[in-house]
Amino acid sequence: MSLAGTVRKGYVRPLDLKHGRVDMGHGAGGRAMAQLISELFAAAFANEHLDRGDDGAVLPAPAAGERLVVATDAHVVSPLFFPGGDIGCLSVHGTINDLAVMGARPLYLAASFILEEGFPLADLARIVASMAHASRESGVPVVTGDTKVVEQGKGDGVFITTTGVGALPVGREIGGANARPGDAILVSGTLGDHGMAIMAQRESLAFDSEIASDTAALHGLIGAMLDAVPTIRVLRDPTRGGLATTLNEIATQSGVGMELDEAAIPVQPQVAAACELLGLDPLYVANEGKLIAICAADDAEPLLAAMRAHPLGERAARIGTVTADPNAFVQIRTSFGGRRMVDWLSGEQLPRIC
Amino acid sequence: MSLAGTVRKGYVRPLDLKHGRVDMGHGAGGRAMAQLISELFAAAFANEHLDRGDDGAVLPAPAAGERLVVATDAHVVSPLFFPGGDIGCLSVHGTINDLAVMGARPLYLAASFILEEGFPLADLARIVASMAHASRESGVPVVTGDTKVVEQGKGDGVFITTTGVGALPVGREIGGANARPGDAILVSGTLGDHGMAIMAQRESLAFDSEIASDTAALHGLIGAMLDAVPTIRVLRDPTRGGLATTLNEIATQSGVGMELDEAAIPVQPQVAAACELLGLDPLYVANEGKLIAICAADDAEPLLAAMRAHPLGERAARIGTVTADPNAFVQIRTSFGGRRMVDWLSGEQLPRIC
Amino acid sequence: MKYVDEFRDGTLARKLADAIAREADPGRNYAFMEFCGGHTHAISRYGVTDLLPANVRMIHGPGCPVCVLPIGRIDMAIRLALSRPDVTICTYGDCLRVPASDGLSLLKAKARGADIRMVYSAADALALAQKLPEREVVFFAIGFETTTPPTALVLRQAQALGLANFSVLCNHVLTPSAILTILESPEVRELGTVPLDGFIGPAHVSTIIGSRPYAFFAEEYRKPVVIAGFEPLDVMQAIRMLIRQVNEGRAEVENEFTRAVSEEGNLKAQGLVSEVFELRRSFEWRGLREVPYSALRIRAPFAAWDAEAKFGLEFVSVPDNRACECGAILRGVKTPIDCKLFGTVCTPENPMGSCMVSSEGACAAHYNYGRFRDIPVVAGTAS
Amino acid sequence: MKYVDEFRDGTLARKLADAIAREADPGRNYAFMEFCGGHTHAISRYGVTDLLPANVRMIHGPGCPVCVLPIGRIDMAIRLALSRPDVTICTYGDCLRVPASDGLSLLKAKARGADIRMVYSAADALALAQKLPEREVVFFAIGFETTTPPTALVLRQAQALGLANFSVLCNHVLTPSAILTILESPEVRELGTVPLDGFIGPAHVSTIIGSRPYAFFAEEYRKPVVIAGFEPLDVMQAIRMLIRQVNEGRAEVENEFTRAVSEEGNLKAQGLVSEVFELRRSFEWRGLREVPYSALRIRAPFAAWDAEAKFGLEFVSVPDNRACECGAILRGVKTPIDCKLFGTVCTPENPMGSCMVSSEGACAAHYNYGRFRDIPVVAGTAS
Amino acid sequence: MCLAIPARIVELLPGDACRVDLGGVRKEISLALVDGAEVGDYVIVHVGYALSKLDEEEAEQTLALFAEAGLAGPALAAATEDGA
Amino acid sequence: MCLAIPARIVELLPGDACRVDLGGVRKEISLALVDGAEVGDYVIVHVGYALSKLDEEEAEQTLALFAEAGLAGPALAAATEDGA
Ligand code: SF4
Ligand code: SF4
Ligand SMILES: [Mg+2]
Ligand SMILES: [Mg+2]
Ligand SMILES: [Mg+2]
Ligand SMILES: [Mg+2]
Ligand SMILES: [Mg+2]
Ligand SMILES: [Mg+2]
Ligand SMILES: [Mg+2]
Ligand SMILES: [Mg+2]
Ligand SMILES: [Mg+2]
Ligand SMILES: [Mg+2]
C-alpha cells in the first residue's frame, strides 16, 4: 500500500465504484494502482500508519516485558458473501482470533489482496468496507497492505491474506502443547455455524435455512476469560476441520488423549439438520467465532461462568476431559451410550470455507 | 502452520514429492494438510518458533528504544521459475527489502500459500526449498504460515504472501516523504534486470538472452549504507513500475520534483536491447534487488562509496537531483541532449512480475 | 428432527441393550452380518458395539457400493475424462477418492486437469448437461437399488429432451445377488470359517424392492433376515429380532422398518428400473470377483445415453493390491486389523483398498471410529 | 546495438542542432508535419524539440494506426468477442486500451470475460489458431503499409493450411491517402490555419512502398517530403533537409533513410499485398472522417478468412466524444493543450480519445513526456 | 451415500418436486418416484429423491416397541409378525 | 507498434525464418518478406518480420553526413541528391 494518498485529487477521474472492474493495470504498479489504493483501500482503512504511504508501517513496539505474536492466514472463501458475513470481515476476525488464542493483545493487521481481472469494483468496495468496519469494531487497524491483480481464470474474485501482530505479556503461556491429563475441555458456543452457512450457498447442495456464519473477533471474550482464569492452558479457534480436527491437533501437540461427551456439545438444531441432510458431522464443520479452552479441572467452573457472561460465550459448555493417552486419541461417549474415536478430518469436508 | 510436527511419523506414508500433486484435501484442515505442513513446510523452514506448531508465533520483541516495522506483499509472478530465481526466493527478498528500505532490521517472516489444485508437489518442494535457502541466507526465519488450496482454474500454481516484521531504532527516519530539493538521487545498480528476465519467459514474446533476475535481499547493503551515512532520507526498492514509478511516488509523497541524468542511469546492454525489441522503457521495468537512495548532496559521495564497496552495490550511480516543484514532476535530461518527463507507469508494462 | 432423533435416543438404547443382554443365550455366540454400509456406519458412529454383549458379533458385509466397485470401472471414467477434454464426469462425492490404476483416483485425475464434479443427485448431472451444451456430461452412476431409480429417471428425461450431450456410465448393482454370493462362498458354505447366523437387510433398498426378495435366502439357506432402518435403535432392534429367530430356530424375513418398507416395495420405481435397465450377465465386484446377474446395464432404447456405448469404453479387470484384504473383509472372512497395511500404509488419506475409502467401508469405519479399541486407553490422571 | 546507438548519439545531435540553427532562416517560421507516430515518439522520447530553434515547429500527424482507428471498428471486435464465447481476439498490444462504445475497450471487454490476447506478431495469432482448434481465432489487424505484408502472409498461410478457425478483421490503412486528405483539408488548402512547410515520411513504410508514392505530393502540392528513419538523429537530419528545401524553394522527395529505403521499395511484399488485399472504396479515419480509397479489404479468394464476412460484422460509425479534439489534432489544427479534457478527464489511464492511447499519439506523447513544458519548473534550491 | 432420512413435505412444487423440511432446514427434492404424497406427509429422502412415504402410525408403534424393551417379557413376538 | 529496428542475422532457420541478434539478445523472426538475406546481414525488423535489408555502406555514409554537420559549409547538398 505504498502509494496511499500519492495521486493528486482532481487530476484524474475518480474510480468508477459502480460499474468499474479490476483490470490488469490496477496491479501493474503505476498510476491506476495508486488510484485504486488511495481511493479505495486507504480511504476505507485510514489511520496514521497507513497514511504514511510507505512500503511498510512504522509502529510503536509492545510495552516492555511483552513479546510479539505474529499470525497469518490466507482467506479464499467461496462464495465471497454469505449469511452473516463476507470475506472481508472474515479476514479480519480470522487473524485477530489467531493472535487472541495465543493470549496476545491484537495490535495491527497487514492486508494483502490478490484480485482477479474483471472483479467488480463495487464488490471490492463492499468487501473493503466490511473489513474496515470489522477492523474499527475490533480496534485493530490495518496498517499496511499490498494489491496484486491476476488474469481472469487465474484467481477467484479476491483472495485476502491478513497478517496480525500482537503483544503477549511475559509469563502468559498459552499453547496447544500445554494440555494435561485431567484438564477440562470447554467450547464457547454452538459448532458448525460458519461452515454450514457457506455450504447452504453452494449451488449443487443448496438448501434454505436461517444458519448464519458465527464470524466474530474473539479477543474481547478471551480478555474476559483471562481476567477470570489467568492460567488457561490452551486456547484455539476451531476453524477448518472443525472441533474434531482442532482437538486432535492439540492432543498430538500435548501428547494427551481426550474424552468428549457428545451430549454436552452445543450444536444448533438447523446445523444438525443440515449436516444430516448432507451426511456431514458438525464436529468437522468450520467455525469462525468460537474457541476451545482447556484449563485445569478446578478452573473449569469459573472459566465457564466468565465465558457465559460474555455475549460471544453465552452458550459455552464443558464438553470433555483430557486423558493420558500416548496415542493422542480423541474419543467421545455418544449420547446413544457408546464410544468411538473422533479422528482428524480426512479428505475434505467442505471446500473453501475460509 | 498450526499443525507443524503434529502428525506422527511412520503412521502415514510420506508425501510423494516426486509425482504427487496438490489436491483439495491438502487445504481442508485435516490430516492431509497437517502432513503437507509437517513434511514440507515445517521441515524446510524449521526453527524454534515455527516448530511450536500453534496458529501464530511467539517472538522476542525488539530491543528497547526500537519501533516495529511491518510490511506485506503478495507474490503472483508468472512463470514461477525464471532465470536468477523463483517465486520462493522472490517472496523472501521482496518483503525483507520492504522492511530494509524503511531502515528496519528485518527480524521475522510469515508466509501464506495459496495453492492451486493439481500443482505438482515437486515444484512446490523446489519453491519451498528456495524460500528456506533465501530465509537462512538472509538470517530472517519464517516463523509462522498458512496454506490454502483452491480448485483448479481458480489460482495459478502458487501465490505466496509474505509479511515481515522488523525493528527500527528510534530516531531513524527514512521514508518517501523526506526528499528535499537539492538532495542527490542514487541507485544501487543496473535497472530492469528482473522484469526482463520474466519477460524473456513469456511464450508470446520469447527471446534468448543471458538476462537473470537481480532478486536479492538488500538489508546487508542498507546496513553498510546506514553505517556510512546514517542520515539517508529516502530508501525504496523500485519493484513494480520500475525506477520511474517509484521516483514519482517519492516525488509526490515529498512534494518535490526530480531531474535525472539519462546518461548516468545504469542499464545492462542486453536489458536495453530486449527493451528495444519489445518497445519497452527500462525505467519502467521491475527490479527485485535494487534500491533508490536519496540523501543530502554532501552525503552523496560517501554514500556512493559505501554502496560500491558492497557486492550488491558495485554499479551504484548518482542519477539525479531533487528539485523544488509543486507539480512533483520527474524530469530527465536525455543523453541525446533534450529533456522530457518521466511519468508514472500508465497501464501495464509487464504482467505478473512479482 | 422428527423420526430421526427418537431413533437415536440413549435411554431407549439402554432399554434395548438390556433386552438384548437378557435374550442372548450366554451359552452361544451370535454372528450377524449387516450387509449394508449404512448400518456399518451407524454401528460405528453411535458406538452400538458397546451396547452389545460380548457374544454378539457384527460382521461388516459388502453393502457399500463404493467398496465393491472394481478398479477397472473407475479406470474407465478416468481414462475417458483424461483423454477427452470436452468430457465432464459427475458423480456422488464418495466415489472421488476410490483408488484406481496408476496411483490415480477421480480426485487425483481432477488435480491432473480432468473435469470431475461432485453432485448431490443424478438430477444435478442432468441439469449440468443442459447448462453446458458444449460439454459431454457423463454421470458416473453407482449404488444399489436405492440410487438406481433416480438414474433411470434422468435417463428417461434425457431421452425425452433429446439431450445429446448427457450419458450415464452405469455401475448399479443388486443386493440380493451379493448376499447370495456370500452365502455361496466356500468360507460360509463349507469351511464354516465365517459363522453367519443372520443378516440385517438395508431398509432403504427394501423401500424400493420390498422385503420379498429375501425370502429365498431365509428358506433356502436357513438364515434369518431382518430388514432394518439406519438409526441405531433400528439396528439394535434388528439384532434383538435376529437373536430371537436364532434362539427359536426360525429363519424368516422380518421387517423392523415397517414405517416405510412393505412386502412388495415401490412398484412405480421397480417399473421404471425395468423399463430402463436390464441384467448384466456378470459383473465384477471388488472382493467377490465376477458375480453372475449382479448388476444392471442400460437397455438398447437408451443406448444413445449409455456412456459405455457412446464412448466405446472397455472394462479391463485390474487386480487389487496384493496385500489388501478387502476381498476377505467384504466376505466377512477377515477384519481390518488382519490386514498388514491397515493404519500404516493404508489410511483414509492414502487408501490402498476400497474399504478404506467410504466412511461406510469396514476399514475406514474401523480406522475413523474404532481404532482406539485396538489399543487400551490409559486412564486420565485426574478426571 | 549497432546501427541503433550511433543514431542516438548526443555529440552528433549537438552538431546537427548547430547545423540546423545555422541553416534555419531567423526571419521565417518553419512548420513540418511528422506524419508518423513513430517520429512523434522519437521527438518526445529524446527531447528533440529542445535541440531545434524556436522558429522550427513540429506538427504531429495522423500516422499512428491506433489513433486513427474509428470507434466503430473496435466495437466490431468487442461485440464479436462478447457475443461469441468461442472467439479469441488477438491483436497488437497498443489496441487494447482504445476507448470504444459503452465505456468499453478491448481490455475492459477482457475483464468482462471476453477472450482477448496480445500478440507480438500476426504469425503468433496463426499459431494460436493451430494450437486451439476448438476456438475461433480472429486476428484484429491494424497498421499502415508495414504491418500489412505480415497480415497478407498469414492469410495466405491460413488458406494453404485450410485453417478454418482463423480469420482476420482487417483495418489496414494507407499512408499516402491520409497525407492527401490533410493536404486537401480546408485548413491547409484554403484557410492557411495550418502552415505546413513539409512532411517527414516514415522510413519503415517506405521500406515496403519505396519513396516514389510521395512524388505526387511534392509535385502537385509543392510540399517537400523527406523520408526519415526513426532514430532521433534521422529526424534531425530530415528536419535539416526540409529546411534546406524550403530555403531553396525546392519541393522534392528526399530520402534520409538510404540505408534501407529505395525508390521502388520491397516488390515481393507489394506483390503479396496486392494478391491478398484490394482497396476499400472508402474507410472512416478518426479525425479525418471518411477517406476515399484509404484502406484495404481482403480479396474474395480469401473470404473464408475474412472475419467481417465470416461473422457478418457490421461497421456502425460512432461519433467521438464531443469535447475530444483528436480530429483537429490529427489534422494539425490543434495541439493537445487546446483540448479541455487534456490531463484532467482524459489521461492515459482514462483515455477519452484515441490520441491519448498509444504512446505514439499526440496527446499521450505530450502527457507522458511533455507536460512539464506547460508549467515552468521551479529551480532546485541546492543543485 | 447410503443416507436416507425422513423429512416432511411443506410445499408441492411443479414438475413432480416438493420442498421438504428437516429440523427447520428446507430443501427441494423430487417426488417422481412416489405417488400421492401430500403436504404434511413424511417421506424417506435419498440422493434428492423421495423413495417412499413414511407411515407415522407404524413409526409410533416401533418406538413403542423400543420403549417396552425395558420391561422384561415377550411383548416383541406379536409385533414382529406384524412387521415382516 | 511502429517499432522497426535493425538486427543482425546470426542463423538461418527452416521455413523462411532466421535468428537475429540485437545487442546480445536473440529472437526468431520471419524472412518471408525479404529475398536473399544471409547470416551477417542486418535487417529491419518489425512485428516479427524482416521488412528489408540494411545497406551498411549507406548507413556509414549517413553517419558521416551527421558528423560533417558540425563543420560549417555546404557538404550536405551533394549527399541529399544521392539519397532521394
Ligand atoms: S486396510 Fe486398506 S489395504 Fe487393508 S484391507 Fe482395508 S482397504 Fe485393503
Ligand atoms: S486530450 Fe483526450 S479528449 Fe482531448 S484531444 Fe486528446 S485524446 Fe481527445
Ligand atoms: Mg509492502
Ligand atoms: Mg486461522
Ligand atoms: Mg507491495
Ligand atoms: Mg474465475
Ligand atoms: Mg486458528
Ligand atoms: Mg495462522
Ligand atoms: Mg514490495
Ligand atoms: Mg492458518
Ligand atoms: Mg491455472
Ligand atoms: Mg517496495
Side-chain angles (χ1 to χ4, degrees), chain D residues 324-326 329 339 341-342 346 352-356 363:
Chain D
C324 172
E325 300 281 9
C326 274
I329 291 169
C339 173
L341 308 185
F342 178 81
C346 183
M352 300 305 297
S354 55
C355 295
M356 192 55 99
C363 296

Side-chain angles (χ1 to χ4, degrees), chain A residues 153-155, chain B residues 116-117 151-157:
Chain A
K154 307 281 185 181
Chain B
E116 185 185 8
E117 177 189 26
E151 293 86 355
Q152 203 157 59
K154 307 281 185 179
D156 197 20

Side-chain angles (χ1 to χ4, degrees), chain C residues 86-262:
Chain C
D86 59 327
V87 164
T88 297
I89 305 268
C90 295
T91 192
Y92 298 122
D94 321 47
C95 300
L96 293 179
R97 294 199 293 149
V98 181
S101 298
D102 305 321
L104 288 176
S105 62
L106 285 167
L107 197 74
K108 286 185 179 156
K110 177 168 178 271
R112 277 174 162 73
D115 187 5
I116 312 281
R117 308 197 193 179
M118 193 193 94
V119 289
Y120 176 76
S121 149
D124 297 339
L126 188 84
L128 192 71
Q130 291 178 285
K131 200 178 129 192
L132 304 176
E134 76 284 5
R135 297 198 61 77
E136 277 292 342
V137 175
V138 178
F139 178 54
F140 185 82
I142 79 161
F144 285 96
E145 289 82 350
T146 42
T147 34
T148 309
T151 307
L153 263 179
V154 293
L155 278 165
R156 247 187 20 181
Q157 284 167 342
Q159 191 192 47
L161 293 163
L163 194 62
N165 68 321
F166 177 77
S167 58
V168 169
L169 180 43
C170 175
N171 301 288
H172 286 298
V173 289
L174 302 171
T175 305
S177 340
I179 296 189
L180 186 66
T181 304
I182 290 165
L183 289 168
E184 284 288 342
S185 77
E187 293 94 343
V188 175
R189 222 187 148 106
E190 298 144 31
L191 311 179
T193 43
V194 180
L196 244 182
D197 299 310
F199 287 95
I200 298 184
H204 59 359
V205 165
S206 286
T207 59
I208 303 295
I209 66 171
S211 59
R212 198 178 295 130
Y214 297 103
F216 173 75
F217 308 124
E219 285 157 29
E220 180 71 20
Y221 293 89
R222 302 294 312 149
K223 298 291 180 190
V225 176
V226 175
I227 293 157
F230 290 104
E231 299 306 333
L233 288 180
D234 290 320
V235 176
M236 289 193 64
Q237 174 73 338
I239 291 169
R240 186 178 170 213
M241 289 162 77
L242 285 171
I243 290 174
R244 286 206 170 176
Q245 285 205 41
V246 171
N247 288 354
E248 297 166 12
R250 285 184 290 126
E252 296 165 13
V253 178
E254 289 181 314
N255 180 8
E256 185 275 337
F257 204 63
T258 52
R259 58 192 189 275
V261 164
S262 65

Side-chain angles (χ1 to χ4, degrees), chain A residues 2-350:
Chain A
S2 69
L3 311 174
T6 53
V7 171
R8 287 197 298 149
K9 279 197 178 38
Y11 209 79
V12 288
R13 279 204 299 185
L15 275 183
D16 180 358
L17 289 180
K18 259 200 187 137
H19 305 293
R21 289 182 186 241
V22 170
D23 66 41
M24 297 308 297
H26 287 120
R31 201 189 273 115
M33 190 174 94
Q35 186 182 19
L36 181 72
I37 290 173
S38 88
E39 292 182 21
L40 187 54
F41 295 113
F45 296 132
N47 60 64
E48 52 170 327
H49 308 297
L50 189 68
D51 297 348
R52 204 180 130 123
D54 282 319
D55 266 357
V58 177
L59 307 159
E66 286 186 319
R67 289 160 298 165
L68 275 184
V69 177
V70 176
T72 195
D73 260 331
H75 296 84
V76 300
V77 62
S78 172
L80 299 169
F81 301 95
F82 47 81
D86 55 59
I87 191 174
C89 60
L90 189 71
S91 71
V92 169
H93 296 151
T95 294
I96 287 179
N97 292 349
D98 277 344
L99 295 174
V101 296
M102 310 279 299
R105 195 163 41 94
L107 295 173
Y108 313 112
L109 290 173
S112 136
F113 295 82
I114 299 175
L115 309 176
E116 186 185 8
E117 178 189 25
F119 188 61
L121 290 176
D123 287 350
L124 183 59
R126 229 176 112 193
I127 288 166
V128 169
S130 166
M131 279 185 85
H133 180 256
S135 150
R136 268 192 306 275
E137 263 209 335
S138 341
V140 187
V142 175
V143 294
T144 190
D146 183 55
T147 307
K148 295 291 188 304
V149 177
V150 296
E151 292 86 354
Q152 204 157 58
K154 307 281 185 181
D156 196 21
V158 54
F159 300 142
I160 306 176
T161 292
T162 47
T163 306
V165 176
L168 179 66
V170 169
R172 184 181 290 167
E173 291 301 341
I174 294 171
N178 301 344
R180 300 188 209 157
D183 283 356
I185 305 168
L186 283 58
V187 293
S188 64
T190 56
L191 295 170
D193 301 65
H194 176 72
M196 291 319 288
I198 299 291
M199 200 66 161
Q201 307 299 308
R202 290 189 66 200
E203 202 193 342
S204 58
L205 303 169
F207 55 84
D208 297 328
S209 73
E210 282 105 53
I211 302 169
S213 170
D214 59 345
T215 181
L218 294 169
H219 57 314
L221 170 62
I222 292 172
M225 289 166 68
L226 285 167
D227 286 348
V229 177
T231 55
I232 296 172
R233 299 214 226 270
V234 180
L235 288 169
R236 188 152 305 166
D237 51 338
T239 52
R240 274 185 297 178
L243 177 77
T245 304
T246 308
L247 288 178
N248 272 282
E249 285 174 39
I250 297 169
T252 308
Q253 275 184 279
S254 294
V256 297
M258 295 184 184
E259 188 169 291
L260 308 180
D261 175 6
E262 189 180 35
I265 300 176
V267 176
Q268 290 205 49
Q270 289 203 358
V271 170
C275 282
E276 205 58 50
L277 211 50
L278 302 174
L280 301 174
D281 183 340
L283 302 190
Y284 291 87
V285 179
N287 312 280
E288 289 291 345
K290 298 290 152 48
L291 59 80
I292 297 167
I294 297 180
C295 62
D298 291 345
D299 290 334
E301 276 316 311
L303 187 54
L304 210 48
M307 291 165 83
R308 289 185 176 148
H310 191 278
L312 292 176
E314 278 169 4
R315 295 205 49 193
R318 176 172 179 174
I319 60 164
T321 302
V322 177
T323 61
D325 177 359
N327 296 295
F329 284 161
V330 177
Q331 300 184 38
I332 194 167
R333 288 188 309 276
T334 67
S335 316
F336 192 73
R339 174 190 285 276
R340 65 171 164 97
M341 277 185 61
V342 175
D343 207 357
W344 292 78
L345 171 66
S346 139
E348 59 169 331
Q349 164 95 315
L350 290 164

Side-chain angles (χ1 to χ4, degrees), chain A residues 55, chain B residues 73 94 97-98 101 236-237 239:
Chain A
D55 266 357
Chain B
D73 260 331
N97 292 349
D98 277 345
V101 295
R236 187 148 311 163
D237 49 338
T239 52

Side-chain angles (χ1 to χ4, degrees), chain D residues 1-4 6-7 12 15-16 19 22-23 36 38 63 65-66 92 94 120-123 142-143 146-147 149-150 153-154 204 207-208 230-231 233-234 237 240-241 244 253-260 266 268-269 272 360, chain F residues 1-6 16 22-23 27 30-35 42 44-60 62-63 65-78 80-84:
Chain D
M1 289 167 282
K2 191 148 169 63
Y3 302 125
V4 174
E6 300 94 313
F7 291 90
L12 289 179
K15 289 188 184 170
L16 274 180
R22 218 165 42 230
E23 296 179 31
C36 175
V66 172
Y92 298 123
D94 321 48
Y120 177 75
S121 149
I142 78 161
T146 42
T147 34
L153 264 178
V154 293
H204 58 359
T207 59
I208 303 295
F230 289 103
E231 299 305 335
L233 288 179
D234 290 321
Q237 175 72 338
R240 185 179 170 212
M241 288 162 77
R244 287 207 171 177
V253 176
E254 290 181 314
N255 180 8
E256 185 276 337
F257 204 62
T258 51
R259 58 195 190 273
N266 182 332
K268 186 180 187 186
L272 193 64
E360 296 162 7
Chain F
M1 65 171 295
C2 289
L3 234 54
I5 29 167
D16 255 354
L22 177 75
K27 184 160 178 62
S30 168
L31 273 177
L33 298 174
V34 172
D35 283 329
Y42 280 81
I44 305 287
V45 180
H46 174 68
V47 296
Y49 289 81
L51 296 187
S52 66
K53 288 200 272 188
L54 181 139
D55 183 326
E56 302 193 42
E57 232 167 82
E58 286 288 346
E60 299 303 338
T62 303
L63 285 169
L65 268 187
F66 298 166
E68 288 164 26
L71 321 165
L76 196 62
T80 49
E81 256 129 62
D82 234 279

